[in-house]
Amino acid sequence: MPAKRSTTIPAARSATRTAASGRAAATSRRAASPTKQPARPRTRAASPDGATRTVTSQPWLHQKGVVIQEFGTVRQFPIGLSYDARMYSCQRLNQTLADSQILYALYKKHHWLMRGATFYQLHLLLDKHADEQLELVDQIAERIQTLGGVAVGDPRHVAEITRIQRAPDGVEEVPAMLSRLLEAHEMILADAHDAAARTADMGDDGSNDLLVSDVIRTGEMEAWFLAEHLVDTPLVQA
Ligand SMILES: [Fe+2]
């Protein structure tokens, strides 16, 4: 006897399906388009007041939507900053964000590819710096959101924005890896000094503080630790 069509499928009914109908359903699911939303199992539940309602715990899958805020725009937030100040800060911070994401990725790449007599020390140091850059990335991105903007997030979008040169896919010599990291730091630092001064001029003290207290301070410290590994000093005899 064919199953009755119904929009409500009590849980007990699915538990008592025959093996044959279960196999048929599985075949039907495999044949269905992966983008097609399957029927949502529902059940009727009684509320304390006696009314019945339809409930389901099936997530809505494979959803598509429209863009509700374009990159490069800012929403109006009541934080005492002008539209121009917030728009300018978001532009500058997105540059720093893109460059910092690339620096983070470079640190991880070189952490993995490191080699030689100082492998262990540099392997650990570069991972520590990567962690610090990742923390900075989050702080910068959330500052952009605080200002009403849209933080650059997709790595392919990041690659379009960053000014840091792409490293070779292969393995460079160790001093070249360190030198590449230092150059990335200097590019970010030079831009951050300028952005800090200009965002302060626009009245955005919060972005100025982030750039000075976090981006610049952290970057300078990391650059110091890297640079000391490029000093050609004798280890045993003066
Ligand atoms: Fe690791």
Side-chain angles (χ1 to χ4, degrees):
M1 175 177 164
K4 275 199 243 176
R5 288 179 62 83
S6 170
T7 55
T8 60
I9 305 175
R13 190 170 118 194
S14 61
T16 57
R17 276 189 312 199
T18 64
S21 68
R23 282 194 299 275
T27 303
S28 171
R29 279 196 297 275
R30 279 195 297 275
S33 163
T35 59
K36 189 173 178 193
Q37 185 73 27
R40 290 157 59 83
R42 294 181 172 130
T43 188
R44 300 285 287 177
S47 300
D49 61 4
T52 58
R53 60 198 173 90
T54 302
V55 295
T56 178
S57 61
Q58 170 61 48
W60 287 98
L61 305 176
H62 309 299
Q63 299 197 52
K64 299 288 184 289
V66 296
V67 172
I68 58 174
Q69 183 184 0
E70 293 288 346
F71 181 76
T73 64
V74 290
R75 289 175 291 160
Q76 180 61 44
F77 282 171
I79 55 174
L81 288 173
S82 69
Y83 169 86
D84 288 346
R86 291 181 298 107
M87 180 66 107
Y88 181 78
S89 291
C90 286
Q91 288 170 350
R92 297 302 301 261
L93 289 172
N94 260 320
Q95 183 66 56
T96 308
L97 177 58
D99 292 339
S100 297
Q101 287 182 75
I102 294 296
L103 180 58
Y104 162 75
L106 277 179
Y107 266 122
K108 289 303 280 194
K109 170 182 168 73
H110 294 159
H111 158 74
W112 298 323
L113 303 183
M114 189 49 60
R115 52 199 62 192
T118 57
F119 166 80
Y120 190 54
Q121 180 181 350
L122 283 168
H123 179 70
L124 296 182
L125 178 70
L126 301 192
D127 210 25
K128 175 177 179 288
H129 286 191
D131 287 345
E132 292 168 354
Q133 286 299 319
L134 192 57
E135 175 67 26
L136 273 181
V137 162
D138 198 50
Q139 287 180 275
I140 300 164
E142 291 180 0
R143 178 66 193 166
I144 292 167
Q145 298 306 129
T146 301
L147 294 168
V150 179
V152 56
D154 190 304
R156 291 154 294 190
H157 190 191
V158 169
E160 293 172 4
I161 293 176
T162 187
R163 291 172 296 192
I164 295 174
Q165 196 174 9
R166 178 172 175 166
D169 293 341
V171 184
E172 291 182 289
E173 291 179 283
V174 172
M177 289 191 211
L178 300 180
S179 192
R180 179 178 294 283
L181 289 167
L182 271 176
E183 287 175 11
H185 269 298
E186 187 164 33
M187 180 173 288
I188 292 172
L189 285 168
D191 192 59
H193 280 292
D194 182 70
R198 290 174 186 266
T199 51
D201 288 344
M202 301 279 281
D204 186 357
D205 300 316
S207 294
N208 168 273
D209 179 50
L210 174 65
L211 288 161
V212 173
S213 304
D214 298 298
V215 175
I216 292 176
R217 296 278 194 203
T218 303
E220 287 176 341
M221 179 75 86
E222 291 177 356
W224 170 36
F225 273 69
L226 285 179
E228 293 296 355
H229 286 84
L230 290 175
V231 178
D232 189 10
T233 182
L235 289 176
V236 176
Q237 191 170 7

